[in-house]
Amino acid sequence: MKQYKYLYQKMLNRDLIREAYYRLRKGKTKRVEIKLIDANLEEEIECMYQMILNTKPVEVEHPELRYKPKHRTPKVIKEHGKERKIYMPEIHEQWLHHIIALILEPIITRTAYAYSCGSFPGRGAHYAKRRLEKWIRTEDVRYFAKVDIRHFYDSIRHDVLMKELAIRIKDDWFLYIIKLCLKGFNRGIPLGFYISQWLANYILEPLDYFILGMGFKVFERYMDDVVIMGSNKRKLRAAVVEIAKLLGRRFRLKLKRTYQVAKFIYKGKGRPIDYMGFVFYRDRTIIRKRIMIAATRMARKFVKRKRWYKSNMQAMISYIGWFSCTDSYNCYLERIKPFVNIGKLKMIISRLDRKEKQDERMEKRALCIQAG
């Protein structure tokens, strides 16, 4: 296995710091803190450079400039019947996370399993959906096992995570900064941190190759959800037991008790695969019932309300995406189309986007005039 050194020195590359900032500012150009950084970009890059330079586990020349994690207050959101705590770090802390992710990204993607999806560029839910449909229609899929890790993000132990990172990353100063980013959380990696998704995928990479080593060539992982397919139910049951042992022994994680090992539906017998918000049958893919109900309720509310915000309209358009990529068009015709004019919504959103871009150009021009 390839080992990586001198990653801390890469963090001190001003061009990399600038690239990380450009990634960070996408979709955030209206925020006040982004505007302030844009107005003094070169000075801010130098400040980030000095902060990284003085963040070491040894004595430094200017300890007052070192990175100090601030108190984070979580935002509690309810999603699909669950409560999740989302942490929003301060803008410079987000910038540091993007710098770390730029260095980790090629390391993790180089060895990642091809069908490990979620939080990888180009490997989202639609990529996973297309691959699963292809397997269902071309492979001998008689049975499937679906497992999920219990409280995955909240259960990751920092000592286990740092031990796994140290297997391939031989740079104590770089690991020290990652550990510092997670300071303040007794256990788990926080939702909302940009580095969390990369660290989560990294720690589960051994699980992917463990499943491959058991002889399963038709399986897919979407973050902490794993679907394995095969023609031998007994072998799948044994695989679930071995996966639970590996997770407990190596990562101190547990599987949810709601795991499934079942016959894949055929001629009305067995179960479909409920995965990533989709329900997969042999000849079609439909939307999960809970998502369909949420979409149709929102569509009916569009008739009653006189005023809608851009975020509401974008949410409605995103719901339409579920119908357009599944075999649920009849549901759309009956429960969505009579209440919502999708073409009109798209026109309004497009108009608002153009206005925002025009305002942004005017602000940049004003800043250039002031600087000149």
Side-chain angles (χ1 to χ4, degrees):
M1 184 179 292
K2 185 176 179 180
Q3 296 180 343
Y4 296 86
K5 301 178 181 180
Y6 311 113
L7 301 182
Y8 178 82
Q9 281 74 8
K10 287 186 178 180
M11 293 183 74
L12 295 171
N13 185 326
R14 289 180 175 83
D15 291 335
L16 186 137
I17 295 172
R18 183 179 285 103
E19 184 184 349
Y21 173 68
Y22 288 141
R23 283 195 179 192
L24 165 66
R25 78 187 293 276
K26 284 182 181 178
K28 303 184 183 74
T29 53
K30 285 291 180 182
R31 289 172 58 173
V32 176
E33 53 266 43
I34 292 292
K35 292 179 181 179
L36 292 173
I37 294 174
D38 284 343
N40 305 282
L41 183 56
E42 294 306 319
E43 293 177 17
E44 292 284 352
I45 289 172
E46 186 60 31
C47 288
M48 285 298 298
Y49 174 86
Q50 291 296 329
M51 185 184 77
I52 296 167
L53 185 64
N54 289 282
T55 305
K56 301 175 186 175
V58 293
E59 289 187 12
V60 292
E61 187 176 354
H62 299 288
E64 69 280 2
L65 298 177
R66 70 168 61 238
Y67 163 59
K68 297 174 184 176
K70 296 182 180 180
H71 176 72
R72 303 103 166 182
T73 303
K75 178 182 178 181
V76 180
I77 63 168
K78 291 185 178 180
E79 184 182 42
H80 305 314
K82 299 179 183 178
E83 282 194 355
R84 300 183 188 276
K85 291 183 179 179
I86 308 296
Y87 293 86
M88 295 298 293
E90 185 265 339
I91 194 68
H92 291 88
E93 192 171 16
Q94 292 182 46
W95 193 349
L96 180 63
H97 293 174
H98 278 264
I99 294 169
I100 294 169
L102 266 177
I103 295 170
L104 284 178
E105 184 177 337
I107 296 173
I108 296 173
T109 54
R110 183 175 179 270
T111 56
Y113 171 56
Y115 305 118
S116 170
C117 309
S119 302
F120 280 118
R123 293 197 215 166
H126 292 289
Y127 171 87
K129 171 183 168 289
R130 288 192 299 270
R131 173 50 54 179
L132 198 61
E133 287 174 334
K134 185 176 180 180
W135 279 335
I136 287 170
R137 287 153 196 176
T138 59
E139 301 289 340
D140 182 19
V141 179
R142 299 181 187 178
Y143 302 95
F144 71 90
K146 182 178 177 293
V147 297
D148 188 5
I149 299 174
R150 185 175 180 271
H151 300 310
F152 175 52
Y153 275 85
D154 294 335
S155 300
I156 295 175
R157 288 174 45 167
H158 293 177
D159 56 339
V160 174
L161 173 63
M162 300 313 295
K163 185 179 177 182
E164 290 292 325
L165 286 168
I167 293 172
R168 294 165 64 184
I169 298 173
K170 303 300 180 182
D171 188 327
D172 292 339
W173 291 1
F174 181 73
L175 293 176
Y176 172 75
I177 292 179
I178 293 177
K179 191 174 182 179
L180 205 58
C181 289
L182 301 175
K183 189 176 180 181
F185 301 95
N186 296 326
R187 188 172 183 174
I189 54 178
L191 288 169
F193 277 27
Y194 187 66
I195 57 171
S196 294
Q197 56 195 14
W198 290 102
L199 296 176
N201 273 311
Y202 178 90
I203 200 170
L204 286 184
E205 186 179 306
L207 173 63
D208 298 333
Y209 288 100
F210 179 75
I211 296 172
L212 278 173
M214 287 191 289
F216 293 100
K217 304 301 179 185
V218 183
F219 84 94
E220 186 174 81
R221 177 172 64 82
Y222 187 82
M223 292 309 295
D224 61 319
D225 288 0
V226 181
V227 172
I228 311 171
M229 290 168 281
S231 58
N232 189 320
K233 191 173 184 180
R234 189 174 297 174
K235 189 177 177 182
L236 286 170
R237 286 190 180 279
V240 171
V241 173
E242 292 302 317
I243 288 169
K245 287 180 181 178
L246 172 74
L247 290 173
R249 183 176 62 249
R250 182 166 177 174
F251 306 117
R252 302 294 188 268
L253 298 172
K254 294 181 180 179
L255 289 181
K256 282 185 180 177
R257 294 181 179 179
T258 54
Y259 71 84
Q260 299 178 48
V261 179
K263 180 180 180 180
F264 189 43
I265 191 163
Y266 180 69
K267 293 184 178 180
K269 295 182 179 179
R271 296 180 189 175
I273 301 173
D274 189 340
Y275 177 57
M276 301 183 303
F278 302 104
V279 182
F280 296 88
Y281 292 83
R282 290 189 181 273
D283 57 347
R284 69 189 189 279
T285 304
I286 63 173
I287 309 170
R288 185 179 289 167
K289 184 178 178 180
R290 191 162 45 195
I291 296 171
M292 184 271 292
I293 291 172
T296 53
R297 281 177 179 169
M298 179 174 273
R300 287 196 296 271
K301 287 178 182 176
F302 261 82
V303 179
K304 298 177 183 177
R305 290 193 186 182
K306 294 182 179 179
R307 183 179 178 183
W308 285 89
Y309 294 101
K310 182 183 175 182
S311 59
N312 301 127
M313 292 185 281
Q314 287 175 327
M316 191 68 245
I317 294 294
S318 69
Y319 274 129
I320 298 305
W322 288 94
F323 291 92
S324 62
C325 69
T326 59
D327 302 304
S328 307
Y329 189 67
N330 288 337
C331 178
Y332 164 75
L333 291 177
E334 292 175 11
R335 304 189 183 189
I336 304 290
K337 193 173 181 180
F339 305 104
V340 182
N341 188 328
I342 302 301
K344 188 176 179 180
L345 282 187
K346 288 181 178 179
M347 285 176 60
I348 295 170
I349 292 170
S350 178
R351 195 181 306 148
L352 292 172
D353 287 340
R354 284 199 301 270
K355 188 177 183 303
E356 287 177 3
K357 287 180 181 178
Q358 186 178 358
D359 292 343
E360 186 182 344
R361 285 196 296 269
M362 294 294 290
E363 287 173 11
K364 282 185 178 179
R365 190 178 299 172
L367 289 171
C368 290
I369 292 169
Q370 289 176 6

